[in-house]
Amino acid sequence: MIGMAILQPVVALAAWTMIMWFWLYGTRIPALSAAKVDPEELVNDPALTLDNILPAQVQWKAHNYNHLHEAPTVFYAVAITLAIIGQGDGLNAQIGWAYVILRVIHSIVQSTINRVTLRFGIFALSSFCLMFLVARAALAMF
């Protein structure tokens, strides 16, 4: 099918998001138990946050999981648009893969060493990939 290659990185990023979900809860649940966190107390006391209770290294995974629901939503929308209009092959698919690879690297950096300047550089590169795809879709549509 013409223009569908870009859907492969879409599925890959969705799968990576689920991997991050498992990593998040694989570290968070033991940390919650160790800290003896009462979930009801968290709900009833807005001053209490997991960022103040759990180790930063545990929360890094949670923050990244949340980040995978922010800018990547634009990627999903533009990639599906490109596929629908038959423009999801070739360079667009390659840039889609570059975006996904950069987001995976961003996740690994944020979830392990969490160096903000390094993360920002990776995020910026992935954002340029996303901007490129949006521009390509806009050119094709308008």
Side-chain angles (χ1 to χ4, degrees), residues 17-126:
T17 302
M18 297 303 99
I19 290 167
M20 285 305 303
W21 184 92
F22 281 106
W23 195 3
L24 155 64
Y25 284 106
T27 56
R28 179 178 269 186
I29 291 171
L32 287 168
S33 294
K36 297 180 178 32
V37 173
D38 177 5
E40 293 303 318
E41 191 177 346
L42 284 173
V43 170
N44 294 320
D45 185 352
L48 286 178
T49 68
L50 291 179
D51 282 329
N52 295 329
I53 298 169
L54 298 180
Q57 294 83 352
V58 171
Q59 286 301 94
W60 294 344
K61 289 130 186 96
H63 296 160
N64 183 262
Y65 181 75
N66 290 338
H67 294 162
L68 288 170
H69 292 87
E70 295 170 352
T73 60
V74 176
F75 170 69
Y76 295 135
V78 74
I80 291 167
T81 299
L82 287 165
I84 289 169
I85 65 173
Q87 299 290 315
D89 292 331
L91 183 59
N92 289 339
Q94 292 170 350
I95 298 298
W97 276 115
Y99 179 78
V100 170
I101 290 165
L102 288 164
R103 290 307 306 218
V104 169
I105 294 169
H106 178 271
S107 291
I108 292 167
V109 168
Q110 183 173 15
S111 298
T112 57
I113 61 172
N114 203 17
R115 299 289 181 262
V116 175
T117 54
L118 177 59
R119 268 181 42 213
F120 176 74
I122 298 164
F123 176 77
L125 288 173
S126 72

